[in-house]
Amino acid sequence: CKGVGYEIDPKRVEEARSLVKKRKVEHLVKIEQEDIFKLDIGKASVLLLYLLPDMERRLIPQMEKMKDGSRIVVHDYPIAGMQPDKTVTVTSSEDNVKHTLYLYTLPFKKEKQGE
């Protein structure tokens, strides 16, 4: 599996690139300084997001351009109005903090009113 990470903050880009180098996974991971709202993510088959809810909402039109069957994993903040296929809570081995991961498969399943 290979991945590309996008981050707009230059400081975070350098931190991420340093971590990629430290972990010796440069052949698998590339970090780019980009604005995710200006990217064409339509060809991605898996998308991992750690964004605040209002930013996720803004990204929905781009995510909906991904092929059916594509997967989206969201860290800590579910996508408003969308029903995840699966929700998992994990505890970080670094700081013992619990995190929730939400798995969606495209096309999105809309939440029923009142949920």
Side-chain angles (χ1 to χ4, degrees), residues 71-96:
R71 294 161 295 166
I72 300 170
V73 180
V74 181
H75 184 168
D76 281 339
Y77 305 104
I79 300 172
M82 305 302 172
Q83 180 67 45
D85 298 313
K86 187 173 184 178
T87 301
V88 178
T89 300
V90 296
T91 302
S92 170
S93 60
E94 292 180 10
D95 58 12
N96 211 33

Side-chain angles (χ1 to χ4, degrees), residues 96-115:
N96 211 33
V97 173
K98 289 187 179 190
H99 298 272
T100 303
L101 302 175
Y102 301 89
L103 172 65
Y104 301 86
T105 306
L106 291 175
F108 282 120
K109 293 159 205 68
K110 309 282 185 191
E111 283 184 343
K112 296 175 187 153
Q113 293 294 350
E115 285 189 25

Side-chain angles (χ1 to χ4, degrees), residues 18-66:
S18 293
L19 189 56
V20 165
K21 189 173 183 175
K22 178 180 178 182
R23 300 280 193 242
K24 298 181 170 122
V25 291
E26 301 97 328
H27 62 291
L28 298 173
V29 179
K30 185 166 96 171
I31 307 296
E32 298 290 336
Q33 183 179 349
E34 295 283 345
D35 180 345
I36 194 168
F37 298 103
K38 296 179 181 177
L39 289 174
D40 176 8
I41 59 172
K43 293 183 181 179
S45 58
V46 177
L47 185 64
L48 174 62
L49 299 175
Y50 191 24
L51 297 172
L52 293 172
D54 62 320
M55 296 175 82
E56 290 174 354
R57 239 184 325 277
R58 285 180 47 207
L59 199 57
I60 289 173
Q62 286 172 263
M63 291 187 277
E64 289 179 326
K65 291 178 183 176
M66 296 168 66

